[in-house]
Amino acid sequence: MTTNEKTILFGLDTFGDVAYHDETKEPLSYAESLRMIVEEGKLADQLGIDVIALGEHHRKEYSISSPDTVLAALATVTEKIILGTGVTVLSSDDPVRVYERFATVDALSNGRAQVMLGRGSFTESFPLFGYDLNDYNELFEEKIALFNELLTGEPVTWEGHFTQSLNNVQLYPKTEKRLDVQVGVGGSPDSIIRAAKYGFPVMLAIIGGEPARFLPYIDLYQRATKQFGQPTHPVGMHSHGVIADTDEEAQEIAWQYLKKSMDKIGSERGWAPMTRERFAFEISEGSYYVGSPETVAQKIAHVIQTLGVKRFDFVYGAGGQLQKDRFRTIQLYGEKVVPRVKELLKEG
């Protein structure tokens, strides 16, 4: 399979992990962390990276609970980069407010806002905002249906059960074009089918195991969009990684911080702690993109060709990491990895 490198988007994602001070090795304050994430976004824009996507979390180890606010800050200090989320937890939010906030970011950024809708892999936002986890699926189903109606930009009449009812309501500010919307999917066939039903593009969160196991999800999306009579958009993906000058340095950082992050999540979900063997597998055959620029570029090019995806987002900063190492990953990704991936794809 030959992939046209000119059609590929290359992005950066951060969940907002609180970084560590380069000298003291102590965690940054939340205020410092947020300001540094803005600096990271500015650097990504200067390097010509296509997209930056910010996660939404309501936990101690993350500083971003309101990604659209950070995107609004980035809108005023960047020029070209697409400003997105990864993801906005629509289930525990108000679709009307989400639409208004992103319409605002879209205006501030001259049309560069992108909202990625998701059900949320963490559940803290549900009790925080007064929602019942027993309604997990129903909340998302109703709210994405309402959000789809709002995207028309026309007055909306809506009878809600989990949402408010609307009677010929016009939302403001009006956008100059339809908002750019994606759906983040972690591996649920139902989520794939739902995205296809509404004609939304899909971003696959591939955070472990061999990426090729997601081929059936891509096939399902393509078949479902045709059955619903919706456009079949290019599929994207995101995965974790660390880039450094050498493979050894990148692996050392990833073992210290990425393992820590995954083990913490795993302890809450019943996963076994990561072993050295599993870590090595994820780097060589699985879903970690860890190493020197050449190593990472070769692996990204391979997965793009294997899955036929048209967007690859590199999730950086997992577990916090030293601030200098986060900047270094971004720098190497933009300056060396992305150009090299394009070369490899051109070669076929």
Side-chain angles (χ1 to χ4, degrees):
M1 179 189 299
T2 300
T3 305
N4 184 348
E5 77 283 357
K6 294 181 181 179
T7 67
I8 309 296
L9 291 178
F10 293 92
L12 283 167
D13 293 6
T14 176
F15 293 163
D17 307 69
V18 175
Y20 291 86
H21 192 281
D22 295 339
E23 303 301 329
T24 68
K25 308 301 187 290
E26 293 296 319
L28 301 181
S29 70
Y30 292 108
E32 290 171 322
S33 173
L34 289 166
R35 291 194 292 269
M36 284 297 100
I37 288 167
V38 171
E39 293 301 315
E40 292 164 1
K42 287 169 60 178
L43 176 59
D45 183 54
Q46 292 162 6
L47 293 168
I49 293 166
D50 297 308
V51 187
I52 186 164
L54 309 182
E56 174 194 340
H57 293 92
H58 306 269
R59 298 163 62 92
K60 179 181 180 181
E61 61 267 35
Y62 304 110
S63 61
I64 302 177
S65 60
S66 178
D68 44 274
T69 304
V70 184
L71 294 177
L74 278 167
T76 66
V77 295
T78 57
E79 296 180 358
K80 295 181 179 180
I81 196 166
I82 296 169
L83 305 173
T85 53
V87 300
T88 294
V89 186
L90 186 65
S91 305
S92 58
D93 212 327
D94 176 357
V96 171
R97 294 293 290 157
V98 171
Y99 183 91
E100 290 181 338
R101 295 197 302 262
F102 279 88
T104 301
V105 174
D106 203 55
L108 292 171
S109 64
N110 195 26
R112 292 184 285 127
Q114 180 181 90
V115 54
M116 189 181 299
L117 306 175
R119 296 189 298 173
S121 60
F122 293 96
T123 59
E124 290 82 4
S125 63
F126 289 82
L128 183 62
F129 299 118
Y131 293 100
D132 190 337
L133 272 172
N134 291 322
D135 301 322
Y136 183 81
N137 291 317
E138 293 82 359
L139 280 165
F140 190 71
E141 183 61 63
E142 181 172 330
K143 290 186 176 188
I144 197 172
L146 172 55
F147 198 80
N148 186 58
E149 292 293 321
L150 300 175
L151 287 172
T152 65
E154 301 298 325
V156 171
T157 296
W158 175 265
E159 186 67 31
H161 175 63
F162 292 104
T163 62
Q164 66 272 54
S165 295
L166 305 174
N167 183 18
N168 199 37
V169 172
Q170 175 70 60
L171 297 189
Y172 304 98
K174 284 192 172 185
T175 59
E176 296 182 359
K177 60 175 178 56
R178 182 181 172 94
L179 276 179
D180 183 358
V181 178
Q182 313 269 315
V183 172
V185 177
S188 165
D190 288 343
S191 295
I192 292 283
I193 293 170
R194 187 184 296 108
K197 174 183 175 181
Y198 293 110
F200 293 139
V202 165
M203 280 288 290
L204 299 170
I206 305 180
I207 62 172
E210 294 179 284
R213 67 192 175 92
F214 278 81
L215 279 168
Y217 294 96
I218 296 173
D219 178 65
L220 174 61
Y221 175 71
Q222 293 170 342
R223 288 187 288 110
T225 51
K226 291 178 181 177
Q227 290 182 17
F228 284 119
Q230 294 283 11
T232 302
H233 298 284
V235 174
M237 63 171 286
H238 86 188
S239 292
H240 287 278
V242 174
I243 310 170
D245 293 323
T246 66
D247 289 349
E248 293 76 17
E249 182 185 358
Q251 289 176 21
E252 182 180 346
I253 295 168
W255 177 254
Q256 181 177 355
Y257 293 100
L258 182 52
K259 170 184 161 55
K260 178 184 71 173
S261 177
M262 290 301 180
D263 283 353
K264 181 174 177 56
I265 296 170
S267 67
E268 300 171 3
R269 301 181 184 180
W271 306 343
M274 184 175 296
T275 62
R276 279 284 185 182
E277 291 75 17
R278 182 67 191 183
F279 180 70
F281 168 82
E282 291 293 352
I283 291 175
S284 62
E285 307 293 334
S287 298
Y288 293 172
Y289 296 77
V290 174
S292 67
E294 180 65 21
T295 297
V296 172
Q298 290 281 349
K299 190 171 183 183
I300 291 176
H302 177 72
V303 77
I304 288 173
Q305 292 176 314
T306 299
L307 298 183
V309 294
K310 298 296 186 180
R311 172 175 166 183
F312 182 92
D313 279 14
F314 191 96
V315 185
Y316 72 94
Q321 303 180 22
L322 296 178
Q323 187 60 59
K324 65 177 182 179
D325 292 333
R326 292 164 63 108
F327 280 133
R328 187 64 176 152
T329 283
I330 295 169
Q331 192 86 36
L332 292 173
Y333 182 69
E335 287 185 345
K336 296 188 176 183
V337 172
V338 171
R340 180 61 176 143
V341 173
K342 291 178 179 179
E343 285 181 1
L344 292 167
L345 295 176
K346 188 174 182 179
E347 294 169 3

